[in-house]
Amino acid sequence: MFDWEEIYATRAKRMGASEIRELLKLLEQPDIISFAGGIPDPALFPNDAFQEAYSDILSGPEAGQALQYSVSEGYPRLREWIVKRMRARGIDADLENIFITSGSQQALDYLGKLLLSPGDTALVSWPTYLGALQAFNAYEPRYDRLDLSRNAAPEAYSAAADKAGSRVKFAYLSADFANPTGESLTPMEREKLLDIADALDIVVIEDAAYRALRYEGERQKTLLAMDCERSGGIENTRTLYCGSFSKTLSPGLRVGWVCAATPIIKRLVLAKQAADLHSPTINQMAIARVAENSFEAQAEKINTVYRERRDAMLKALADYMPAGVEWTRPEGGMFIWLTLPERMDATELLPLSLKTAKVAFVPGNAFYADGSGRNHLRLSFSCSAPEVIDEGIRRLGAVLSEELAAAA
Ligand SMILES: Cc1ncc(COP(=O)(O)O)c(C=O)c1O
């Protein structure tokens, strides 16, 4: 048999299968109440709007263009819609500041490719989006923990990197409704992050995948908008805003974008030309039409449903969780993050929960660059009706109560 392991490039060696993605395949069985997958509820997709859009495109004058190769920057009409949206958020973007990607996941891959040489340092929160770790891992980085609640001097990050013979290149995080915690940065934390980035002279990657899913509270400024204010305009900024239509319109069409200063956009275009030339033309056209006609209505529709589900999960947690278990109270997004007593291990708890309660969740350690965080777990409320959430959390609460009692 051919020895594949021996022939791989060093970068491929860090591309281990994501335990969670493997696990998720097993968890979506009909008799399991799954709070594991962080995906939109397919019942909420705007099917009719897409049907109309595709039929309109294929029966109209743009049919040939829709099925043809297209420019790597992306479909201009879609980029125009995005420009308007970014401007409404205080970002002075023009068409040349917008680059269409195949989902925001692709942006993370390209940014890893453009910014990380092997051994370079990426600052990420502990925990962080595991797909970002997967994307960056291929470029063989060193990770350091970005902790905005500590009052560490920015130089602490560069000193640690120096010691490891490394250089800090960027800080990656979601300012709004992060995966996996559901939490958002306060305005002060946003300022602090930009201060750190200024002091270290590094890039900020702002992952805005969940930004449109807000159920309460006031909209916060994006890091990119704050960077524009501080630096005098988008061309002077160091922040790369990664947006996505996956959580609002459809993840299956794979359409996302980057909004940033033109030099990095031009480099991203070159990365895309080498990788896949452009994102599917017809999907960009369909997203543009659906976004123009019904983005706000769609956002309102899903936010109403997800708000109800978040509320149901928060209430059920308060009703059924034993003392010693804590959780976040997100204002948006899809996730609630549980903290169990230190001695508990969510990876060990999962098989037990599946067997005795038939409830699935994602163990927290998958989201830590160093594999720690074993006493945490992630729950997603996006795909379950309130009564199912109540039942699932009741059962999970019973498993946790028993485990805690046994360990006492
Ligand atoms: C925080 C975060 N960023 C990015 C993505 C990637 O989304 P997409 O590539 O569909 O835009 C996800 C998907 O779950 C996510 O949770």
Side-chain angles (χ1 to χ4, degrees):
M1 222 175 103
F2 190 73
D3 187 355
W4 291 104
E5 290 306 318
E6 189 276 327
I7 207 162
Y8 288 137
T10 51
R11 80 183 76 88
K13 299 202 163 89
R14 286 195 45 186
M15 293 162 65
S18 151
E19 270 176 49
I20 297 198
R21 298 215 198 276
E22 292 302 306
L23 199 70
L24 287 180
K25 290 183 201 155
L26 307 174
L27 297 185
E28 309 299 332
Q29 296 157 6
D31 61 335
I32 300 265
I33 298 182
S34 180
F35 301 132
I39 55 176
D41 186 339
L44 299 171
F45 291 149
N47 301 352
D48 292 347
F50 276 119
Q51 191 176 20
E52 200 182 308
Y54 279 99
S55 137
D56 187 39
I57 293 162
L58 289 172
S59 60
E62 281 187 308
Q65 191 191 336
L67 299 174
Q68 187 55 284
Y69 285 118
S70 56
V71 294
S72 303
E73 288 83 348
Y75 180 50
R77 184 164 152 189
L78 176 60
R79 290 160 67 217
E80 271 160 27
W81 184 89
I82 295 168
V83 163
K84 278 196 207 122
R85 195 164 172 85
M86 300 308 289
R87 286 200 183 147
R89 303 281 175 272
I91 296 157
D92 61 326
D94 281 314
L95 213 57
E96 62 267 23
N97 300 111
I98 309 293
F99 165 66
I100 302 295
T101 55
S102 297
S104 53
Q105 187 67 31
Q106 188 175 55
L108 300 179
D109 177 42
Y110 289 168
L111 292 173
K113 189 181 246 173
L114 292 182
L115 298 170
L116 294 170
S117 297
D120 280 346
T121 295
L123 302 180
V124 296
S125 50
W126 251 229
T128 192
Y129 169 49
L130 90 118
L133 296 176
Q134 273 190 303
F136 302 150
N137 278 347
Y139 304 103
E140 305 172 84
R142 163 187 177 268
Y143 291 108
D144 197 2
R145 179 181 190 171
L146 177 66
D147 186 353
L148 298 169
S149 65
R150 273 187 318 175
N151 259 337
E155 294 69 32
Y157 296 107
S158 46
D162 278 351
K163 215 169 140 192
S166 173
R167 172 181 167 193
V168 186
K169 284 294 185 68
F170 62 73
Y172 160 83
L173 93 178
S174 287
D176 299 286
F177 323 127
N179 180 359
T181 65
E183 288 185 318
S184 303
L185 297 188
T186 62
M188 250 173 66
E189 286 168 334
R190 287 169 205 246
E191 293 287 356
K192 199 158 148 188
L193 174 62
L194 292 173
D195 287 345
I196 292 172
D198 270 341
L200 299 177
D201 210 10
I202 57 169
V203 164
V204 173
I205 301 178
E206 175 174 24
D207 183 333
Y210 295 91
R211 187 167 160 89
L213 275 56
R214 173 174 285 285
Y215 318 134
E216 68 174 66
E218 265 185 40
R219 194 159 62 207
Q220 302 288 329
K221 277 188 196 163
T222 64
L223 293 167
L224 180 56
M226 292 168 72
D227 195 351
C228 285
E229 278 171 21
R230 289 161 68 124
S231 61
I234 192 161
E235 290 307 328
N236 300 324
T237 56
R238 61 178 69 250
T239 303
L240 307 164
Y241 179 101
C242 302
S244 176
F245 290 101
S246 291
K247 314 299 176 184
T248 46
L249 300 185
S250 159
L253 299 185
R254 309 304 303 128
V255 182
W257 75 92
V258 177
C259 179
T262 45
I264 181 87
I265 295 288
K266 285 185 183 151
R267 270 309 158 100
L268 283 164
V269 169
L270 296 180
K272 194 160 180 65
Q273 280 167 1
D276 65 352
L277 298 179
H278 61 81
S279 294
T281 321
I282 192 166
N283 291 357
Q284 296 184 61
M285 288 178 161
I287 290 268
R289 280 165 170 76
V290 174
E292 284 164 6
N293 295 334
S294 51
F295 188 87
E296 295 307 333
Q298 172 68 8
E300 209 177 300
K301 175 173 134 185
I302 61 175
N303 283 349
T304 305
V305 175
Y306 291 153
R307 179 187 299 116
E308 206 179 42
R309 294 177 182 179
R310 177 208 59 170
D311 291 347
M313 191 170 270
L314 287 174
K315 179 174 183 309
L317 287 165
D319 287 348
Y320 304 122
M321 280 298 138
V325 177
E326 290 171 4
W327 55 90
T328 54
R329 287 165 183 77
E331 292 187 340
M334 292 184 176
F335 308 108
I336 295 180
W337 181 243
L338 262 62
T339 303
L340 311 176
E342 284 278 350
R343 62 182 184 280
M344 293 187 88
D345 184 336
T347 359
E348 287 172 11
L349 209 68
L350 180 61
L352 192 73
S353 171
L354 284 170
K355 190 157 165 248
T356 61
K358 296 214 171 289
V359 171
F361 54 79
V362 181
N365 64 318
F367 304 97
Y368 285 74
D370 66 349
S372 64
R374 302 189 83 84
N375 65 320
H376 296 277
L377 59 92
R378 188 192 78 178
L379 298 174
S380 167
F381 51 79
S382 56
C383 284
S384 314
E387 56 283 6
V388 178
I389 290 175
D390 187 78
E391 175 60 15
I393 298 296
R394 186 187 66 72
R395 290 194 220 157
L396 181 63
V399 172
L400 286 171
S401 301
E402 263 180 47
E403 281 301 291
L404 276 169

